[in-house]
Amino acid sequence: MDRNSLDTARLLPESGRLSIDSIAPPQDDNETVKTTSIWSEADRQDPERPVRAKYLILLTCGTFGLQNVWSLLLANGTPYLLSLGFSRSTTALIWMAGPLTGTFIQPFIGAISDQSTSKWGKRKPFIVVGIIGAVVSMLSMAIMKLAATKIYLSFGREYVSAHGMGNIARTLVIFWVGVLNLSLQPIQVGLRALVVDGCPSQQQSQASAWAGRFTGLGGIATYILDDFLIRRYQDNSFEVLCIITSISLILTNIPCLLFTSERRASLHMDVDQTFRPKALGRRLLRTARRMPDNILNICNVQFASWLGWFPFLYYNTTYISALGEQNMRVEQNHPNSSGVQAYLLFAIVAFFCSVVLPLIKPSAITHSSAKTSSLLIDSTRYSFRPSLTHLWLLSQILFAVCMFSTIFINDTAGGIFMVASAGVSWSLTQWVPLAMMSGEIASMREAARSEEVGDGEDETGTLMSIFNVAISAPQILAGALCSGLFWVIGESDPVDTLGWALRMGGLAAVVSALLMLGLKR
């Protein structure tokens, strides 16, 4: 590789950020560059050869089951907690368990998996452990209300009051919500890292598109089933859906675990393994400080974007239900069909866009050179196709418009249309940032290999975990803001209260769009 082409994947030395040199094994000035890769030689015959569409499907099908779980929490989680006696401000704090584990736990899981030398693979053992924890926690949540009622009616009333038993049940539900969110972290980082490891850089956008399609299908399947269960089982729909979702999570990940090959780390790695918390923390900080500007810019925009998505994802079903209740002047603690139908349309629109939009084959983000620090590129010099970042910018503008439209919405039909329209932005949010991030990591790995220094230190899981921090950390802030908003405004008028939460998300989307415009300049 000549020096000019290498500069497309390297930053200026004075920037202090991660470059191709920094992911290679360290060397002394008088030593010959080592060519030992962390991958076994059997796995390096042609690591960057294109893979078939069937293989991409096997790599990404696990996201279907993962999305089933997230859809369960997003569409039914808040109404289920409200039915147990939690206030809306308390539910906002409970849902911070997901962002907290994603921010503080997933990076350590990613760093540990990068250094794993298990004969079962680097990512798959973590995925299996996560699936087991998620299934146990969902099944426990499914039986919690029934078990608490049975225990109280059988012999509990002699020792504890009904209110006390309710507090015990609510405490256990909070515990299992925390376990579920903790278990989802290794599944999420493992599936993402498998895609980066298993595909060359030129197919990362294609793989991310397939992951987005499975995400959309997972949401559609959950909401169709949810709508059916609400009509059939009424107040027990959440419990039945927990059982079905557990089965789906297992079945959809089996093909990925059994029929995809995974690069296993060599037992003779040049990089020292560090599994102590302090050592892992130093490794994470070192990687974060040396991240290329491309990746840092993606994470910054992603942070602002997800500050806006949190209130929408967790409260749009409750908002639509509140609109219906306001019109009908009735109080209900479980989600009515209009809220679930809105989420179903949202998922259908998102899936349709995830199929159609990749067909335009937008130009991918290019690497920053020493003279360019812009995230957005002027693709019109080379083609008339929009770039991935242009699509991302348009998605943020559309999302902001949808959120601010709640000022004028006063009926269920308008609310459903707003939620469905946001599906366009959601499909791009699920596809574009992940495709850009995966492509950057894969290109760094290929550039290191082209310099004949091997793959160097594997930081795929670590970088993908940092990418997830840019998704999780803003949700902590958004959850706290929503909880404070509900406390200040009060809960007497849920339509007005939830509407302000959604508008707050629209403001964050505007900030995200401005960040991209500033980067373009």
Side-chain angles (χ1 to χ4, degrees), residues 79-96:
Y80 174 70
L81 293 179
L82 293 175
S83 70
L84 294 176
F86 291 102
S87 65
R88 284 193 176 88
S89 58
T90 304
T91 62
L93 295 177
I94 293 174
W95 293 131
M96 288 175 64

Side-chain angles (χ1 to χ4, degrees), residues 193-219:
L194 273 179
V195 172
V196 178
D197 291 342
C199 299
S201 60
Q202 65 268 23
Q203 287 188 288
Q204 292 297 326
S205 178
Q206 185 181 357
S208 298
W210 274 110
R213 290 162 188 157
F214 278 117
T215 297
L217 282 175

Side-chain angles (χ1 to χ4, degrees), residues 254-309:
I254 286 178
C256 177
L257 296 172
L258 295 182
F259 303 117
T260 61
S261 60
E262 183 180 2
R263 296 167 176 171
R264 292 199 300 268
S266 171
L267 294 177
H268 307 289
M269 293 194 301
D270 292 327
V271 182
D272 294 333
Q273 292 177 286
T274 55
F275 297 111
R276 297 189 307 274
K278 283 188 177 180
L280 287 172
R282 288 194 296 269
R283 174 188 171 95
L284 290 169
L285 290 175
R286 181 194 64 190
T287 302
R289 287 196 300 265
R290 299 185 305 163
M291 283 194 306
D293 284 338
N294 283 348
I295 294 178
L296 181 61
N297 291 334
I298 293 170
C299 291
N300 287 337
V301 177
Q302 187 80 318
F303 185 97
S305 173
W306 274 90
L307 192 63
W309 278 108

Side-chain angles (χ1 to χ4, degrees), residues 73 94-98 100-102 105 133-134 137 141 171-185:
L73 296 177
I94 293 174
W95 293 131
M96 288 175 64
L100 284 171
T101 53
I105 302 299
S137 57
M141 291 172 63
T171 301
L172 290 175
V173 166
I174 293 175
F175 170 77
W176 287 116
V177 168
V179 173
L180 176 58
N181 281 280
L182 181 63
S183 301
L184 293 177
Q185 305 310 314

Side-chain angles (χ1 to χ4, degrees), residues 72 138-139 142-143 237-248:
L72 167 71
M138 281 190 289
L139 294 179
I143 67 173
S237 61
F238 180 82
E239 288 81 356
V240 177
L241 193 58
C242 280
I243 297 173
I244 298 176
T245 302
S246 300
I247 298 173
S248 172

Side-chain angles (χ1 to χ4, degrees), residues 444-482:
M444 288 168 56
R445 183 183 61 211
E446 291 175 15
R449 188 177 295 116
S450 298
E451 278 200 309
E452 298 183 352
V453 296
D455 290 332
E457 181 180 352
D458 181 22
E459 294 184 314
T460 299
T462 305
L463 288 171
M464 294 307 296
S465 297
I466 293 175
F467 172 73
N468 190 73
V469 169
I471 297 175
S472 301
Q475 295 183 59
I476 300 175
L477 177 59
L481 290 174
C482 286

Side-chain angles (χ1 to χ4, degrees), residues 124-140 176 179-180 182-184 186-187 246 249-250 253 257:
K124 292 180 180 179
F126 293 90
I127 296 176
V128 171
V129 172
I131 290 175
I132 294 173
V135 169
V136 170
S137 57
M138 281 190 289
L139 294 179
S140 298
W176 287 116
V179 173
L180 176 58
L182 181 63
S183 301
L184 293 177
I187 304 176
S246 300
L249 181 64
I250 296 172
N253 277 278
L257 296 172

